[in-house]
Amino acid sequence: MITLVRHLTDPKDLIPPLGGYDRLPLANETTPTSDLARIKFYRNFLAHLVEEKIDDTEFTTAWNIITDAISRLGGLTMKQECDNLKVKTLDQSSREIILEIKRSNDEIKELKKSMESLKIFNEDMSTEMKKLEMSLKDTVPWNIRAEIKEILDEWKDNDKMSKRQTSNKQRSLDSYFKVARQAGNEETGDIDENSVAINPSPNESVIEAEPALACSENTPSTSSEILLSPIDYSDPVQFNKRSLSDEDRLKLLKTKWIPSSNSYIYPKNNQNRRYNKSWENDYSWLRYSPSQDGAYCSLCIAFQDHPSENPRYNEFVTIPYNDWKNALGEKRDRLALHSNSERHLKALEKVVSYYRFRIREGHL
């Protein structure tokens, strides 16, 4: 209405209120434009009430201001009309109009909420569409990409562990044997403890065993006292479940299976993983069995203790280890766990004692 009046009236005859048409004019402003601004202000005020009601004082103030404005604009007749409306009882049609206005306002509020929901939904759909477009451009399926990521993460873990093991690696058993043989040539015929790097367990010392202690109870001390069928000494599984002579133990400790060519590819297990020959650089006791596609510990086979009902305890000894996925890595690292196990350390002590004895006897 205000816009219509402003456009149908000569602009020269309309002087805008001091505060413009969107603010309530001051009481001393009585120009037609100020009265139009008052009517517009209270119309908007009443239309946007949150609780859709006002108290008596506020109603009376608003009614009087609007009545005065209408009186100045329409004269005495319009003032009497306003006075009559103030005390008039609403008929059925008037109530319906008011209720319809209320329902319309409620519908407008619901529409605003729906518009906000649609806006959020549209933003979510746009995000999903962008993801879909990116996935269509990606030539690698998401499941394959996840598998590749897992493999790369495992390689990183193995690389970190390999570097740590290389920096902290103890002298290999072969190096010990070389130093021990040199020490055995001294005048005393014994090994100088200061010239051999042996790292016993805490609060323990390396025990020099007699020949009977260096072998199992049922094993003769010389190879001439037992007849063995020919053994493929390169395959550690051939030494299991046999009575080993001293010579058998020596061959087991010094022999490794070597692939027929440098281009040899180890078979994959059910995890799609292969044995890695480079592991033998960090673990000199590690032996690969081509017949079992599994790994064994030469020390623990050479000097076996009583087997256990726990399969994990018998790994690397009577049961081949082929869980290549967990051979290294910070989480499991089965090679390191076996190397530090009580069973392995006891076998290592027996091997050291065995070599000391053979050096003193002049067999090495």
Side-chain angles (χ1 to χ4, degrees):
M1 180 187 69
I2 302 299
T3 303
L4 182 62
V5 171
R6 289 169 58 188
H7 284 288
L8 294 178
T9 307
D10 188 352
K12 297 180 181 179
D13 298 334
L14 293 177
I15 301 175
L18 297 178
Y21 288 98
D22 296 325
R23 299 178 62 181
L24 181 64
L26 299 175
N28 58 0
E29 293 185 74
T30 57
T31 61
T33 54
S34 299
D35 289 333
L36 291 175
R38 288 185 178 90
I39 295 173
K40 177 185 177 183
F41 174 83
Y42 279 106
R43 181 267 169 197
N44 292 336
F45 171 75
L46 295 173
H48 295 91
L49 284 175
V50 177
E51 298 182 358
E52 300 175 352
K53 62 181 180 179
I54 58 176
D55 57 32
D56 293 340
T57 302
E58 195 170 16
F59 172 80
T60 301
T61 301
W63 186 273
N64 292 335
I65 292 175
I66 294 173
T67 300
D68 292 341
I70 292 175
S71 299
R72 285 190 291 269
L73 292 172
L76 183 60
T77 303
M78 295 302 299
K79 183 179 185 307
Q80 291 176 350
E81 186 69 23
C82 291
D83 293 339
N84 293 334
L85 288 174
K86 185 176 182 180
V87 296
K88 182 180 179 180
T89 303
L90 295 177
D91 56 15
Q92 186 65 26
S93 60
S94 300
R95 289 194 182 95
E96 291 178 356
I97 292 173
I98 293 175
L99 291 175
E100 184 64 27
I101 294 174
K102 183 179 182 302
R103 283 194 294 268
S104 298
N105 289 335
D106 293 340
E107 291 177 358
I108 291 173
K109 292 179 181 178
E110 292 297 327
L111 286 173
K112 288 182 179 179
K113 292 181 180 179
S114 300
M115 288 295 294
E116 291 296 328
S117 300
L118 287 174
K119 182 179 179 181
I120 296 174
F121 177 76
N122 183 54
E123 292 176 353
D124 294 340
M125 288 298 296
S126 299
T127 303
E128 293 298 324
M129 286 296 295
K130 290 181 180 178
K131 291 181 180 179
L132 182 59
E133 290 176 359
M134 292 296 295
S135 64
L136 292 176
K137 293 179 181 179
D138 192 354
T139 57
V140 181
W142 66 269
N143 56 334
I144 302 299
R145 183 173 294 280
E147 184 177 350
I148 293 174
K149 183 179 183 301
E150 181 181 354
I151 294 174
L152 291 176
D153 291 341
E154 183 178 350
W155 284 356
K156 291 179 181 178
D157 292 341
N158 291 345
D159 184 60
K160 292 179 182 178
M161 180 59 66
S162 178
K163 290 180 180 179
R164 188 180 299 112
Q165 290 172 345
T166 301
S167 61
N168 299 328
K169 183 174 59 176
Q170 296 181 353
R171 179 180 299 177
S172 67
L173 191 60
D174 292 338
S175 299
Y176 165 74
F177 294 155
K178 181 178 179 180
V179 176
R181 283 195 295 270
Q182 294 175 354
N185 293 329
E186 296 181 358
E187 295 181 358
T188 59
D190 205 348
I191 297 177
D192 183 2
E193 296 292 343
N194 296 323
S195 65
V196 181
I198 301 176
N199 295 318
S201 303
N203 302 324
E204 295 184 3
S205 59
V206 177
I207 303 173
E208 286 195 20
E210 295 298 326
L213 295 177
C215 307
S216 60
E217 295 180 358
N218 299 325
T219 304
S221 59
T222 62
S223 59
S224 60
E225 298 178 13
I226 186 169
L227 296 177
L228 295 178
S229 59
I231 297 178
D232 179 8
Y233 289 106
S234 65
D235 192 342
V237 73
Q238 300 297 330
F239 292 89
N240 268 329
K241 300 179 181 179
R242 300 176 65 98
S243 296
L244 302 182
S245 67
D246 288 348
E247 295 300 326
D248 293 331
R249 289 188 172 90
L250 184 60
K251 290 181 179 180
L252 171 62
L253 295 172
K254 298 181 67 174
T255 306
K256 292 183 179 181
W257 182 78
I258 301 176
S260 57
S261 66
N262 294 332
S263 60
Y264 177 81
I265 300 177
Y266 288 88
K268 291 184 178 181
N269 62 3
N270 55 7
Q271 300 170 328
N272 203 30
R273 304 296 176 88
R274 293 187 175 93
Y275 177 81
N276 191 337
K277 187 170 177 58
S278 65
W279 296 338
E280 298 175 5
N281 297 331
D282 295 322
Y283 300 98
S284 60
W285 48 264
L286 191 62
R287 298 291 186 273
Y288 176 75
S289 170
S291 63
Q292 303 296 314
D293 184 31
Y296 289 88
C297 174
S298 59
L299 277 63
C300 293
I301 293 178
F303 295 95
Q304 291 190 33
D305 57 4
H306 297 289
S308 170
E309 295 181 358
N310 184 1
R312 182 62 63 85
Y313 182 80
N314 297 324
E315 282 182 345
F316 295 100
V317 186
T318 59
I319 298 177
Y321 177 82
N322 56 9
D323 184 11
W324 309 134
K325 180 179 179 180
N326 297 313
L328 298 179
E330 296 181 357
K331 294 183 178 179
R332 294 179 176 84
D333 199 353
R334 293 292 302 146
L335 295 179
L337 288 176
H338 177 78
S339 185
N340 295 316
S341 66
E342 182 180 1
R343 182 179 195 178
H344 181 83
L345 295 177
K346 287 182 178 179
L348 177 60
E349 286 186 1
K350 292 181 180 180
V351 170
V352 172
S353 299
Y354 167 74
Y355 266 84
R356 282 179 168 176
F357 172 77
R358 291 186 65 86
I359 290 172
R360 286 202 303 268
E361 295 296 318
H363 297 302
L364 287 179

